């Protein structure tokens, strides 16, 4: 008689584990929903995940004993059971919400124009070799992939139009035997540098306000909050040294309309739509960079973080494209990455560089360019199977 309740309890627990569970992922400080947070587990050798929507809502239909919730802007959290709301602790300093008004101090645009005028001398004039530590993590509904690469990077300058790397070590953690290396986010973080892209057009198309709550040890530093004049999916903040007219840090969030306009060739997009039905349903991007001062007062991006979330459709069934995807590892809809750059402790005698082509999202590629992409997908790397506990993650 005593065994019956135990059996019923066990069956009941199994039903709960398999039932669909819904909850919201939210910011611990602001209680605002966190969109595109990754929620995943690996149970019994099977990986499963879900992604929060724009309202932070998540629906988990797979059993779990431990559930991991991650987002680039927040500390990782592991739970054994879910509640109506799961709060994440912000990883970065939170900016007080500032209303960007139509009345703008004139000095803001003058300082930003001075940054544009002198940026090549301040940020790109000197040839520079730095040590890099690149980490990327990519997740879809059935797969987990993480890659860490360390080595030297030759920065873009007057003398070099391209970035180049010399990898010293690489390490992959994946749920299966995939051993391909992914430097897509590394290229995007370097080539989509905020200061590099800051120009007169950006200044004209955005409204700026000063955040009066911002505090800094440097009395010349102020924080500017900006929003696009014409698009609601483009906003961010800039910390600027008004005495030197240099950008110290920048944070920018862009959505589908802005990303398509700024980073997608309209002609190629129309061609792809006509040929394969290609479309972009959602394209969100988060970019954060802190700059440091190097030799001679020049600046370089010391710390960069990047999040890429993409939803789209492509019915392309050309076997050549399928073969190319297999050779390059394809792609993931939810990618997060970090990059740390520091002065090198030493420079080896053998300075053989591997060029990093500019970042791209849709283009017509020559055979040489396709081979270059394949080569970048096969950098030397050790491999470990993902066990459910993260061996490393973007910092």
């Amino acid at each position: 008689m005593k065994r019956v309740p135990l059996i019923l309890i066990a069956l009941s627990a199994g039903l709960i584990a398999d039932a669909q569970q819904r909850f919201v992922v939210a910011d611990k400080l602001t209680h605002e929903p966190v969109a595109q947070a990754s929620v995943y587990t690996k149970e019994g050798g099977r990986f499963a995940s879900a992604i929060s929507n724009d309202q932070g809502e998540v629906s988990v239909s797979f059993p779990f004993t431990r559930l991991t919730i991650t987002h680039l802007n927040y500390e990782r959290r592991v739970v054994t059971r879910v509640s109506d709301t799961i709060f994440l602790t912000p990883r970065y300093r939170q900016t007080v919400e500032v209303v960007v008004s139509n009345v703008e101090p004139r000095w803001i645009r003058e300082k930003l124009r001075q940054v544009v005028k002198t940026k090549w001398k301040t940020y790109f004039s000197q040839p520079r070799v730095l040590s890099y530590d690149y980490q990327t993590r990519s997740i879809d509904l059935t797969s987990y992939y993480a890659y860490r690469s360390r080595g030297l990077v030759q920065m873009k300058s007057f003398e070099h139009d391209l970035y180049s790397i010399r990898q010293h070590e690489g390490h992959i953690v994946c749920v299966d035997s995939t051993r391909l290396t992914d430097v897509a986010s590394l290229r995007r973080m370097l080539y989509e540098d905020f200061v590099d892209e800051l120009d007169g057009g950006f200044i004209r198309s955005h409204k700026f306000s000063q955040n009066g709550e911002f505090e800094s040890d440097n009395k010349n530093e102020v924080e500017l909050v900006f929003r696009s004049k014409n698009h609601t999916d483009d906003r961010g903040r800039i910390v600027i040294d008004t005495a030197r007219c240099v950008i110290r840090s920048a944070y920018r969030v862009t959505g589908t309309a802005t990303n398509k306009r700024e980073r997608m060739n309209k002609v190629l997009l129309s061609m792809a739509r006509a040929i394969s039905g290609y479309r972009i349903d959602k394209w969100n991007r988060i970019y954060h960079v802190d700059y440091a001062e190097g030799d001679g007062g020049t600046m370089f991006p010391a710390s960069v973080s990047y999040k890429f979330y993409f939803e789209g459709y492509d019915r392309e069934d050309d076997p050549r494209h399928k073969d190319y995807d297999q050779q390059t590892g394809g792609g993931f809809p939810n990618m997060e990455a970090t990059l740390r750059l520091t002065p090198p402790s030493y420079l080896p005698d053998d300075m053989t560089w591997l060029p990093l082509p500019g970042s791209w999202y849709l283009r017509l590629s020559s055979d040489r360019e396709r081979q270059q992409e394949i080569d970048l997908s096969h950098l030397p790397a050790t491999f470990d199977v993902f066990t459910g506990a993260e061996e490393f993650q973007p910092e």
Side-chain angles (χ1 to χ4, degrees):
M1 294 296 295
K2 292 183 179 180
R3 293 182 180 180
V4 175
L6 295 177
I7 294 173
L8 291 176
I9 291 173
L11 290 174
S12 176
L15 290 173
I16 293 174
D18 289 333
Q20 191 173 63
Q21 302 185 64
R22 295 183 175 86
F23 56 92
V24 173
V25 181
D27 186 298
K28 185 177 181 179
L29 299 182
T30 67
H31 289 199
E32 292 294 321
V34 176
Q36 281 87 61
S38 296
V39 180
Y40 59 90
T41 188
K42 186 175 182 182
E43 304 282 344
R46 176 176 175 268
F47 179 87
S49 74
I51 299 174
S52 63
N53 62 19
D54 290 345
Q55 289 73 46
E57 299 167 341
V58 179
S59 178
V60 173
S61 58
F62 47 82
F64 65 88
T65 56
R66 285 166 48 91
L67 198 63
T68 301
I69 303 99
T70 65
H71 188 284
L72 180 70
N73 287 349
Y74 296 87
E75 300 292 342
R76 178 171 67 104
R77 185 173 179 187
V78 179
V79 299
T80 56
R81 62 180 62 186
V82 298
S83 55
D84 291 340
T85 305
I86 296 180
F87 293 102
L88 300 183
T89 302
R91 188 185 297 270
Y92 303 111
R93 173 184 61 82
Q94 296 292 297
T95 298
V96 176
E97 185 67 23
V98 177
V99 177
V100 182
S101 65
N102 293 324
V103 179
E104 177 183 287
R106 183 174 179 179
W107 67 265
I108 291 180
R109 292 178 183 273
E110 292 176 350
K111 293 295 183 180
L112 290 176
R113 292 189 187 99
Q114 186 63 25
V115 172
V116 173
K117 183 178 179 180
T118 60
K119 68 178 183 180
W120 279 97
K121 179 180 179 180
T122 306
Y123 292 83
F124 307 105
S125 60
Q126 295 185 10
R128 190 192 303 272
V129 174
L130 298 171
S131 294
Y132 77 86
D133 184 348
Y134 164 66
Q135 300 185 53
T136 185
R137 181 180 61 226
S138 307
I139 296 173
D140 62 18
L141 294 180
T142 59
S143 183
Y144 176 98
Y145 169 92
Y147 169 55
R148 184 171 193 174
S149 175
R150 298 178 182 179
L152 297 173
V153 57
Q154 187 178 46
M155 303 296 285
K156 185 175 75 169
S157 69
F158 283 133
E159 298 183 9
H160 305 280
D161 292 334
L162 298 176
Y163 293 91
S164 304
I165 61 170
R166 187 181 191 275
Q167 178 179 272
H168 294 159
E169 58 178 302
H171 183 63
I172 293 173
V173 177
C174 194
V175 298
D176 52 34
S177 59
T178 301
R179 298 174 181 265
L180 302 184
T181 51
D182 182 3
V183 295
S185 292
L186 172 61
R187 293 158 63 181
R188 290 165 183 167
M189 285 188 286
L190 290 172
Y191 283 98
E192 296 174 15
D193 175 75
F194 183 85
V195 169
D196 195 1
E197 294 189 335
L198 179 64
D199 57 14
F202 180 91
I203 297 172
R204 289 189 298 271
S205 62
H206 290 79
K207 299 186 294 183
F208 302 88
S209 289
Q210 180 177 346
N211 177 14
E213 302 296 324
F214 175 75
E215 296 181 356
S216 173
D217 294 334
N218 184 343
K219 65 179 182 180
N220 296 316
E221 289 184 358
V222 299
E223 183 176 75
L224 305 178
V225 180
F226 66 83
R227 288 186 181 274
S228 170
K229 292 180 179 179
N230 303 312
H231 300 275
T232 59
D233 65 348
D234 180 5
R235 66 187 189 281
R237 60 181 184 264
I238 307 167
V239 174
I240 181 174
D241 185 324
T242 56
R244 293 188 56 197
C245 288
V246 296
I247 303 296
R248 291 290 185 177
S249 69
Y251 174 82
R252 190 183 183 194
V253 179
T254 51
T256 307
T258 295
N259 291 325
K260 287 173 64 175
R261 185 181 70 256
E262 292 188 354
R263 309 198 179 279
M264 189 70 71
N265 184 292
K266 293 183 179 179
V267 175
L268 291 181
L269 181 58
S270 298
M271 291 175 57
R273 186 182 297 113
I275 294 172
S276 65
Y278 181 82
R279 70 171 188 264
I280 300 172
D281 297 327
K282 182 174 294 186
W283 182 358
N284 295 338
R285 173 182 175 271
I286 301 174
Y287 181 91
H288 180 274
V289 57
D290 290 317
Y291 296 96
E293 188 170 332
D295 298 335
T298 56
M299 308 289 291
F300 66 91
S303 174
V304 189
S305 59
Y306 176 85
K307 183 175 178 65
F308 170 85
Y309 180 81
F310 188 90
E311 292 180 8
Y313 170 78
D314 188 356
R315 67 167 182 266
E316 184 61 69
D317 56 1
D318 189 325
R320 293 175 300 175
H321 289 281
K322 292 183 178 179
D323 180 64
Y324 177 69
D325 284 343
Q326 291 178 350
Q327 294 186 69
T328 58
F332 291 83
N334 196 24
M335 304 170 64
E336 299 180 350
T338 61
L339 175 65
R340 301 287 184 267
L341 297 175
T342 57
S345 58
Y346 76 99
L347 293 176
D349 295 331
D350 177 18
M351 296 293 283
T352 303
W353 297 101
L354 176 66
L356 284 178
S359 56
W360 57 275
Y361 299 92
L362 182 65
R363 74 175 183 187
L364 298 175
S365 302
S366 65
D367 290 340
R368 181 184 64 82
E369 290 172 328
R370 292 167 66 88
Q371 186 58 52
Q372 194 171 40
E373 298 293 332
I374 293 172
D375 292 342
L376 288 171
S377 301
H378 291 78
L379 298 175
T382 58
F383 176 81
D384 284 321
V385 175
F386 177 67
T387 61
E390 292 181 299
E391 284 76 5
F392 59 84
Q393 62 174 341
E395 299 176 352

